[in-house]
Amino acid sequence: MRILLVEDDATLADAVRTHVTRHNHAVDLAEDKESALACLAGVDYALVLLDLRLPDGSGLDILKHIRLKKQMIPVIVLTAHDQVSDRIAGLNAGADDYLVKPFDLDELEARIHAVSRRYGASQTPMVELASFKVYPSEHRIEGKTGERLSLSAREWAVLECLLARRNSIVSKSQIEEALYAFGAEIESNTVEVYVSRLRRKLGKEIVETVRGIGYRVAE
Amino acid sequence: MRILLVEDDATLADAVRTHVTRHNHAVDLAEDKESALACLAGVDYALVLLDLRLPDGSGLDILKHIRLKKQMIPVIVLTAHDQVSDRIAGLNAGADDYLVKPFDLDELEARIHAVSRRYGASQTPMVELASFKVYPSEHRIEGKTGERLSLSAREWAVLECLLARRNSIVSKSQIEEALYAFGAEIESNTVEVYVSRLRRKLGKEIVETVRGIGYRVAE
DNA sequence: CTTCAGCTGACATCCACCTGAAAACAGGAG
DNA sequence: CTCCTGTTTTCAGGTGGATGTCAGCTGAAG
């Protein structure tokens, strides 16, 4: 699912982008009104995340523009916590939901999910992985006989990252990025450790090592 | 259940809010037409309490707006005792019920209950939860042998929230939202406390903790 | 053979979560 | 009004699962 993120604060934009990417969505970033409108003209987005406070004019114009053209795109507005009037203006102009900064990234994902479902988009129901059934939206994974496995947060993140780029090789640094979205670098073999833990729980054949390059999940 | 209260008289609004809150509903308050419409656009309410006399225009517009958008939201109109014409206009415009001020708060609760049940063709009469039978519409939960358990308001709210999103994980912030209307932030481990109490009353296995993510009710 | 990337068991630490209890609060009865 | 009762909220201490780190091992590549 392709998402347009309109946000001028680079730090926030980056955090949102990595997190949302990890949840299987493609993200285009527009930093101002002009490029946002350009993106909207050229691409069919499934959802728009919209900061109302932009350097070159109110994001409200963008929202109005979308509604004017009767594009059936769900829009979630991002506002600073003290901009109550923005929030109301946004909802009046046809936003589908809003989030107050600073917001929790999981919360964001939940809203994206809720809103796009309201629009009747397709839910990711299930992915097969070897003999497992993976339900990304529900954080759930079942074995052959339907028994539930329990993965820790990090383990799950690694698995999702691998599944997101299925049948291509994922480098360690990509996984690292997925794990530690924000700043916080890591200087040990954490990724290896988590791959190891995944293998212990799901079976050796689930992740293939590509020496010197990265990992790839089973077909 | 989430209710929108549209009322400009602060005293009355407050009284209604506290009373209704105590009966397990989350209440958002809108003091004028503009913010009422904004709220309606952003949130899915289960019911609207609507004062027709507002400072910035007739509440009738709000009612019409709801019906125009074909939102299946029950609306109860609140009118002063001498505004008979308002009442008729309201019912004509599609209100489901009305109350004449000053009204008894218990009366209000009864109407809320009646109206929302009338809407509840889709209402689940009973849900099984482990060895319990839960009757959401009646606020009732029975054990294996039919004995009635008593849950406090908040305990019940948490349980409902978990049941509403059964077999997916519910984050703490989601539960928090269900517990407290709009603004009102909470800065302690209240959710944990109530989960703990639910477990004490219903049994440990009723709620599963998903570390770092949230909670999930038993199958 | 040596070298080096990757694997994994062990461990110290941390932090999410649980829970008992006290404090704050509200409502009802007297 | 005051007292009593049940509920809500906060706090602090305890527990265990999750995490990050490392050291020693394995095995592929040359």
Side-chain angles (χ1 to χ4, degrees), chain A residues 29-202:
Chain A
L29 175 61
E31 297 191 338
D32 54 20
K33 180 165 137 188
E34 194 185 351
S35 52
L37 292 177
C39 289
L40 280 166
V43 186
D44 258 342
Y45 291 99
L47 188 145
V48 177
L49 296 174
L50 181 60
D51 181 10
L52 287 186
R53 296 280 168 130
L54 295 177
D56 63 342
S58 167
L60 211 55
D61 293 345
I62 300 174
L63 178 51
K64 284 177 183 161
H65 178 264
I66 293 174
R67 292 305 171 219
L68 204 69
K69 299 195 74 183
K70 302 233 192 304
Q71 299 189 45
M72 283 288 290
I73 307 176
V75 176
I76 299 179
V77 161
L78 314 174
T79 71
H81 78 104
D82 53 335
Q83 308 297 343
V84 185
S85 57
D86 274 6
R87 216 150 78 210
I88 293 179
L91 290 172
N92 274 338
D96 295 277
D97 205 342
Y98 65 86
L99 274 172
V100 178
K101 303 180 200 175
F103 48 80
D104 184 31
L105 287 172
D106 289 323
E107 172 78 357
L108 171 63
E109 180 56 27
R111 298 292 179 102
I112 289 177
H113 202 252
V115 166
S116 60
R117 177 163 47 186
R118 221 185 294 159
Y119 266 74
S122 61
Q123 266 160 297
T124 19
M126 193 262 286
V127 183
E128 304 241 14
L129 173 62
S131 60
F132 296 94
K133 292 177 194 302
V134 186
Y135 302 83
S137 58
E138 304 170 27
H139 260 252
R140 199 153 62 86
I141 173 167
E142 288 179 356
K144 203 160 207 156
T145 60
E147 84 282 10
R148 254 185 212 177
L149 304 225
S150 107
L151 298 187
S152 83
R154 298 271 191 243
E155 288 162 358
W156 186 263
V158 171
L159 180 63
E160 268 193 330
C161 178
L162 290 170
L163 282 176
R165 298 175 188 67
R166 214 170 176 169
N167 68 0
S168 77
I169 303 176
V170 185
S171 74
K172 284 189 193 179
S173 59
Q174 280 179 299
I175 299 180
E176 220 169 88
E177 251 178 68
L179 277 185
Y180 304 101
F182 242 157
E185 288 306 304
I186 209 78
E187 74 284 344
S188 77
N189 61 344
T190 317
V191 174
E192 289 168 16
V193 171
Y194 277 102
V195 168
S196 167
R197 286 181 186 157
L198 263 188
R199 292 211 255 238
R200 188 190 303 171
K201 287 190 177 177
L202 306 182

Side-chain angles (χ1 to χ4, degrees), chain B residues 7-117:
Chain B
E7 171 60 69
D8 60 318
D9 175 26
T11 317
L12 180 61
D14 226 54
V16 170
R17 199 219 293 261
T18 37
H19 188 267
V20 172
T21 301
R22 202 170 316 134
H23 280 266
N24 259 335
H25 311 301
V27 179
D28 291 352
L29 176 61
E31 297 191 336
D32 54 20
K33 179 166 137 187
E34 191 186 355
S35 53
L37 291 176
C39 289
L40 280 165
V43 185
D44 263 335
Y45 291 99
L47 188 143
V48 176
L49 296 174
L50 181 62
D51 182 5
L52 288 186
R53 295 282 168 128
L54 294 177
D56 62 343
S58 166
L60 212 54
D61 291 348
I62 299 174
L63 179 51
K64 283 178 184 162
H65 179 263
I66 292 174
R67 293 307 170 217
L68 204 68
K69 297 193 76 182
K70 302 230 193 303
Q71 298 190 45
M72 283 286 291
I73 308 177
V75 175
I76 299 179
V77 161
L78 315 174
T79 70
H81 75 104
D82 53 333
Q83 308 297 343
V84 187
S85 58
D86 274 3
R87 224 147 73 208
I88 294 178
L91 290 174
N92 276 338
D96 296 275
D97 206 340
Y98 66 85
L99 276 171
V100 178
K101 303 181 199 175
F103 47 80
D104 183 31
L105 286 172
D106 288 320
E107 171 78 359
L108 171 63
E109 180 57 27
R111 299 292 179 102
I112 289 176
H113 201 250
V115 166
S116 60
R117 178 149 50 177

Side-chain angles (χ1 to χ4, degrees), chain B residues 22 172 189 199 204 209 211 215:
Chain B
R22 202 170 316 134
K172 284 189 194 180
N189 61 345
R199 292 211 254 239
K204 274 214 184 294
T209 301
R211 219 152 212 269
Y215 298 94

